[in-house]
Amino acid sequence: MTTTPEVTLNNGVRIPQLGFGVFQIPDEETAAAVSTALEAGYRSIDTAAVYGNERGVGRALASSGIPRGELFVTTKLWNDDQGHDETLRAFDASLEKLGLDHVDLYLIHWPLPARDRYLDTWRALEKLHADGRAKAVGVSNFQPAHLSRLMENSDIVPAVNQIELHPQLQQSELRALHAKQGIATEAWSPLAQGAVLQDPAITAIAEAHGKAPAQVILRWHLQLGNVVIPKSVTPERIRQNLDVFDFTLSDEDVAAITALDDGTRTGPDPDTLN
Ligand SMILES: NC(=O)c1ccc[n+]([C@@H]2O[C@H](COP(=O)([O-])OP(=O)(O)OC[C@H]3O[C@@H](n4cnc5c(N)ncnc54)[C@H](OP(=O)(O)O)[C@@H]3O)[C@@H](O)[C@H]2O)c1
């Protein structure tokens, strides 16, 4: 079984660099997908309250027999629950659904700048971290201005910013800021939800290495230092996406993928989502 490399977060907690995302998997199908992923060797699972599948994740974790200390579980606070007390209640609800007494990473799902509640929300995450119920805390979809404001007004630097990041949206400004501030970059929709799998530059690199296009893209993320959380409900793809540690992209391969950045988002713009 493959050993996935780990990234050490700014508080010393280690996160597997490649994990399994469960966005858009119905709760009743989630346990099967997560069980397949755990059997394949994944140890990090990324869910969110809004995905409605924390119970399915919890069932798979419980039946896996894998010691809790070997698992890394991330969930996220949904938008309607922002605010200090609301966050603490929402966190309790997520833990209950997951069947856990702590998570490894808890994230604010979106900044929602127009609602302006993320500073109060962050104070609740700081408390959850201090109480040991979230081993690390971070944010998702935060733009540079949101990160700067958060850091000016709080004690803990987010361990992670989970952002949309793939060959069409390479986020060089945010990645540079993260590197400067000690924030790990976690890529969501790392495969652009499949949109770049047929790109001729990607398929040519894949052919040259005898790998699949998705594996080339995941390898590109890993070589950039990103944490990645590809999603699939297809057992062969779940296994394929973890089989990315036996080849290396050349500088030319990386340059060809870098050239695909055209700013296309698959999801909402964090500055305007409210
Ligand atoms: N923080 C946020 O706001 C946010 C937003 C979106 C996503 N996320 C997280 O990021 C995770 C991944 O993002 P995502 O689910 O949006 O998209 P993704 O991982 O980029 O792509 C998933 C899509 O690609 C297909 N796929 C996966 N592996 C493949 C392979 N080897 N070959 C061909 N097709 C493949 C899947 O199909 P099948 O499933 O049919 O196999 C699915 O349609 C989510 O599950 C979630 O945990 C976070």
Side-chain angles (χ1 to χ4, degrees):
M1 195 179 282
T2 326
T3 306
T4 304
E6 294 177 324
V7 168
T8 302
L9 303 176
N10 59 18
N11 66 351
V13 168
R14 296 200 313 256
I15 181 172
Q17 201 183 355
L18 199 157
F20 185 65
V22 297
F23 178 42
Q24 293 177 325
I25 308 182
D27 193 41
E28 59 279 11
E29 292 170 34
T30 297
V34 172
S35 295
T36 302
L38 294 173
E39 277 158 29
Y42 293 78
R43 289 296 177 266
S44 167
I45 309 295
D46 181 87
T47 184
V50 75
Y51 301 168
N53 56 19
E54 289 170 313
R55 285 194 197 285
V57 170
R59 278 197 298 278
L61 298 176
S63 65
S64 71
I66 299 169
R68 177 68 183 91
E70 293 175 22
L71 297 166
F72 192 102
V73 181
T74 301
T75 194
K76 314 184 193 84
L77 174 83
W78 186 237
N79 299 344
D80 296 340
D81 295 317
Q82 282 211 28
H84 181 273
D85 295 355
E86 295 87 339
T87 296
L88 297 178
R89 280 195 291 273
F91 180 79
D92 286 345
S94 281
L95 272 194
E96 188 273 320
K97 287 180 183 147
L98 287 162
L100 299 176
D101 64 3
H102 71 274
V103 295
D104 299 280
L105 179 62
Y106 196 46
L107 303 177
I108 302 178
H109 208 142
W110 291 90
L112 309 176
R115 294 197 208 180
D116 196 19
R117 302 192 82 184
Y118 63 78
L119 294 180
D120 280 347
T121 303
W122 186 248
R123 277 183 260 288
L125 265 68
E126 288 182 327
K127 174 172 169 41
L128 293 168
H129 180 255
D131 292 346
R133 301 176 76 209
K135 300 296 175 194
V137 288
V139 295
S140 178
N141 299 303
F142 272 46
Q143 298 279 51
H146 313 138
L147 279 179
S148 301
R149 184 153 168 263
L150 188 70
M151 288 189 288
E152 279 161 21
N153 290 282
S154 61
D155 298 328
I156 302 184
V157 176
V160 165
N161 188 15
Q162 185 184 113
I163 54 173
E164 181 176 352
L165 202 177
H166 44 71
Q168 291 180 304
L169 184 73
Q170 299 187 16
Q171 301 271 25
S172 50
E173 184 190 356
L174 265 173
R175 283 196 288 118
L177 181 64
H178 294 167
K180 201 168 142 205
Q181 302 290 353
I183 300 169
T185 300
E186 185 167 30
W188 66 253
S189 292
L191 304 173
Q193 298 196 337
V196 287
L197 295 175
Q198 268 110 48
D199 184 281
I202 303 278
T203 54
I205 297 168
E207 217 164 286
H209 288 277
K211 296 298 253 186
Q215 292 174 314
V216 166
I217 296 169
L218 294 171
R219 186 71 215 172
W220 171 80
H221 281 286
L222 296 172
Q223 289 184 212
L224 285 187
N226 300 335
V227 177
V228 272
I229 44 170
K231 169 263 176 188
S232 176
V233 291
T234 315
E236 308 83 71
R237 291 175 174 177
I238 291 173
R239 290 187 281 273
Q240 183 179 71
N241 291 346
L242 193 63
D243 181 17
V244 291
F245 299 105
D246 62 348
F247 73 113
T248 303
L249 299 177
S250 67
D251 291 348
E252 292 74 30
D253 295 335
V254 171
I257 300 174
T258 301
L260 300 179
D261 191 0
D262 63 5
T264 305
R265 287 186 184 276
T266 66
D269 182 337
D271 284 317
T272 53
L273 184 78
N274 188 28

